[in-house]
Amino acid sequence: MPQLFSDPEALAEDIVRDVGTNLVVGLPLGLGKANHIVNALYARAAADRSIRLTFFSALTLEKPHPSNWLERRFIAPVIDRLFGGYPDLAYATALHKGELPPNIEVVEFFFLAGKWLRVPYAQQHYISANYTHAASYVLARGLNVVTQLVAKRVVNGETRYSLSCNTDTTLDILRARNQGRAAFKLIGQVNSELPFMPGPGDLPESEFSAVLDSPATDFPLFAPPAEPVSDTKYAIGLHAASLVRDGGTLQIGIGQVSDALAQGLVVRHRDSAQFRSLMKRLAPHAEPRENGPFEKGLYGVSEMLFEAFLGLIEAGILKREAEDGAILHGAFFLGPKAFYRALREMPPEQISRIRMMPVSFTNALYGDEEAKRRARINARFVNNAMMATLMGAAVSDGLEDGQVISGVGGQYNFVAQAFALDGARSVLTLEAARWVGRRAHSNIRWSYGHQTIPRHLRDVFVSEYGVADVRGKSDAETIAAMLSIADSRFQAELVRAAKEAGKLPKEFAIPAAHRENFPERIVAALKPAREAGLLPSFPFGSDFTETEQRLIPALQLLQAVQRAPLQLPGLLWEGFSRKPDAADQECLARLGLDRPADMKERFYRALISAALGRSR
C-alpha cells in the first residue's frame, strides 16, 4: 500500500532517501502535474547541489501575464478569479528569470504555444518528438519517479485513484513497468476538483508508492477560459464541418477553430437548410460535400478532450459506439471550470461512455489494430497549422531559424492514421493571413525553411476561403488548389514565385471565383448567421462574465486600430462625443474608467466608449 503524506517536503525527502540523488522525474503533460510535489523536489535539489534532478515534461501551464496598462485592467481580475489559487511551478519561474540551478535540468517535448520563444535554455533542452514516442524517450533517460495529480474514490472500503486528465503517457510507461521494462515509483497528489474518469486509468492504490493527500495541498485546477470565436475562425470551422461524414470518426485539437467546427456541426445537425444557406454565402462557387444531419452519429477519438466534445454529445451528434461501448476515447484533457464540473457531475451511465486511454491507443493503430480499424471508419483528423507551402507542406510547431513555438505533439500521428485508414482524411486548418505589427503577411508561402508535415503527406488544407483537397495531386494541381484558399492580397506574388520556379504554366491564372478572398467578404458572409444567433462568440459557454464578454470585441477593435493609427483620432473624437448607455457604463466601471482620474484614463475611456459602440 502507498505511504500517505500530508507534507510535500516530507514526501520529497522520502523520495530522495528511497530513490537516491539522481532523480529523473516524469511530469504529465498540462493539467496533471502534481505542483506541490514538483516544487518540493525542486526546493530540495536547489538546497543540495549533490542532487541531480531532471524534469521530463510537456506543456507547462502558467498563469497569463498582462502586457500593457489596458490589458492589465481587463485581465487581472480574470486571473484572480480563475487562477488565483493555482500554485506556480518553481522551475518555470526560474527558467524565465534565467536562475535555474546547474544541478536541475528541465526537458520538454511540447511548449505552451509561444511561451518559450527566444528563451535559450528552453529552446536548447527541447526534444522534438511525436507524442507516441515521448514515453520511450523518457524511459531511455532512466526514469525513476513519476508524479501525477489524481482523483480519489473509496469503493467498498478500497481506495482507488484515477489518472483522470492524463492517462496519455502514464499508462504507456506503467505497461512498460508491468512488463519488466522499467522501474520507477509512481507518486500521486490528490486533487478534489479532478473528475474520476472510467477506463484503464482507474487504478488500485497498490500501483502507487506514495500519495500526497491533504486539504493544505488541494488547489483549484488550471482552467483557461474559452476564447471568443472570430469570423475568420468560424469560416475555417464551417468549411471543415462540411467534410465530416455521418457515421464517421472525429478528432480535433483545441482552440477557436475546433469550437467553430463543433458549432458548425451543431448547426448542420439541427437545421441542414440553414447550414447549406450559410455555406452558400461563405463559398458561392462550391457545394458543401457533406451537409445533412447526423443520423448514425460520430465516434470521437482524440488525444485531447475539451468542452466542445461535450457539446457534440449534448447535441446528439457524438453517439456512435466503439466495441467497448464508448462514444469518445481521449488521452488527456484541459478546459474551463465548467468543463471539469460537467465531468464531475455527469451521471455514471453517461461518463462510462467517455474513456481515458493511453496515447498509444488514441494516436496510433498498432495494438488491437483490427478493432481500431473497425471503429475508426471515415475518420476526419482536424488539426491546426501555422503556415503551409504552395506545394502542400505544413508548418505547425516552429520557425525556420529553429525556434520552437509549440511542438509536433500528435499531429504527425494523426496524419499517418489518415493515410493508413480506409476513407480517412487529414484536415490541416490555417488562417490565410496574419498580422505582424502593422503589416499583414500570408500564411500560405511559396517555401519555408522548416516543415512539420512534409509535402508527400499533403492531404486537405482549409482556410477561411475554402478547402484545398491535394491528396494524390500533382505539384501544379496542388499549387493551384492552395492558391484558391490564399488571401487575395498575396496571390499575385505567390503565382509569380511558382511560375519562376517552373511549377506553374506561364498562362495559368487564378479563377475569378477565388480572386475575392478578402477578410471583408468573410465578415459580410457570416453577418446574417451571427445576427441570428447561429454563430455565438462563445458557442459552448464562457467563464467570462457578461460584462467581460461585451468588452472583449471592443478591446479587439482597439487592437485592430493600432495597426491603422490614422483611425485613432476619429475613434477618439467619437468616444468623447457619445454618451455611454447603462450597459457601456458597466463595461467602463469594470475597467475602472467610469470616473477617470487623469488624462490617460479620460483618453482610454473615450476609446473604449467608441469601441463599445462600434462593436455592437
Side-chain angles (χ1 to χ4, degrees), residues 525-561:
L526 297 184
K527 186 177 181 181
R530 285 282 206 181
E531 293 175 345
L534 295 175
L535 306 177
S537 295
F538 297 94
F540 302 104
S542 173
D543 284 333
F544 290 114
T545 66
E546 290 186 9
T547 299
E548 288 165 351
Q549 290 181 42
R550 288 199 300 271
L551 267 170
I552 288 172
L555 295 173
Q556 290 174 330
L557 189 149
L558 280 183
Q559 188 177 38
V561 167

Side-chain angles (χ1 to χ4, degrees), residues 348-364:
E349 65 274 11
Q350 292 184 21
I351 202 166
S352 66
R353 305 175 79 195
I354 302 174
R355 297 177 66 83
M356 300 300 294
M357 306 295 288
V359 72
S360 59
F361 176 91
T362 58
N363 290 33

Side-chain angles (χ1 to χ4, degrees), residues 248-292:
T249 303
L250 182 65
Q251 177 268 327
I252 44 179
I254 193 173
Q256 294 169 280
V257 169
S258 298
D259 286 347
L261 164 59
Q263 180 62 15
L265 295 174
V266 171
V267 172
R268 174 182 149 186
H269 180 62
R270 290 176 175 169
D271 193 333
S272 297
Q274 283 269 33
F275 181 77
R276 287 192 294 271
S277 175
L278 175 56
M279 294 306 298
K280 194 67 177 176
R281 289 182 58 85
L282 194 58
H285 54 277
E287 289 292 330
R289 300 185 189 185
E290 307 288 341
N291 54 54

Side-chain angles (χ1 to χ4, degrees), residues 51-70:
I51 295 173
R52 177 67 184 174
L53 173 62
T54 300
F55 287 130
F56 194 104
S57 181
L59 197 64
T60 294
L61 301 176
E62 297 180 86
K63 300 171 188 174
H65 297 283
S67 59
N68 58 54
W69 183 87
L70 188 58

Side-chain angles (χ1 to χ4, degrees), residues 559-575:
Q559 188 177 38
V561 167
Q562 292 176 9
R563 298 194 290 264
L566 293 179
Q567 297 179 23
L568 194 60
L571 192 69
L572 195 59
W573 175 255
E574 187 178 326

Side-chain angles (χ1 to χ4, degrees), residues 22-191:
N22 184 26
L23 299 174
V24 181
V25 183
L27 313 181
L29 174 150
L31 187 64
K33 290 179 175 58
N35 289 27
H36 287 91
I37 302 174
V38 173
N39 287 347
L41 287 171
Y42 178 90
R44 182 70 178 80
D48 183 353
R49 299 299 170 90
S50 70
I51 295 173
R52 177 67 184 174
L53 173 62
T54 300
F55 287 130
F56 194 104
S57 181
L59 197 64
T60 294
L61 301 176
E62 297 180 86
K63 300 171 188 174
H65 297 283
S67 59
N68 58 54
W69 183 87
L70 188 58
E71 186 177 306
R72 186 161 53 252
R73 290 269 178 130
F74 175 76
I75 203 67
V78 178
I79 295 172
D80 289 341
R81 188 170 73 242
L82 299 182
F83 305 103
Y86 184 78
D88 293 326
L89 287 159
Y91 74 78
T93 303
L95 277 174
H96 284 297
K97 292 181 178 179
E99 298 175 353
L100 194 71
N103 60 317
I104 299 177
E105 182 181 21
V106 179
V107 180
E108 295 202 81
F109 72 88
F110 198 94
F111 292 155
L112 193 64
K115 195 68 176 181
W116 299 103
L117 194 63
R118 312 298 172 192
V119 179
Y121 183 97
Q123 293 289 329
Q124 292 164 22
H125 288 77
Y126 166 80
I127 291 179
S128 184
N130 290 332
Y131 201 177
T132 51
H133 298 162
S136 64
Y137 292 169
V138 70
L139 289 173
R141 285 181 171 244
L143 177 75
N144 51 30
V145 178
V146 174
T147 67
Q148 176 147 354
L149 212 61
V150 296
K152 176 183 174 182
R153 176 180 291 173
V154 178
V155 181
N156 297 325
E158 178 190 355
T159 300
R160 298 190 68 85
Y161 297 104
S162 169
L163 298 178
S164 187
C165 56
N166 282 90
T167 50
D168 43 16
T169 54
T170 306
L171 283 177
D172 282 329
I173 62 175
L174 279 173
R175 183 174 65 249
R177 187 176 75 173
N178 294 336
Q179 294 171 347
R181 296 186 289 111
F184 59 86
K185 295 188 177 297
L186 178 60
I187 313 292
Q189 177 175 343
V190 174
N191 185 282

Side-chain angles (χ1 to χ4, degrees), residues 547 550 578-589 612 616:
T547 299
R550 288 199 300 271
R578 75 185 293 268
K579 183 178 180 179
D581 60 18
D584 289 353
Q585 287 286 7
E586 286 183 13
C587 292
L588 293 168
L612 285 166
R616 286 182 173 175

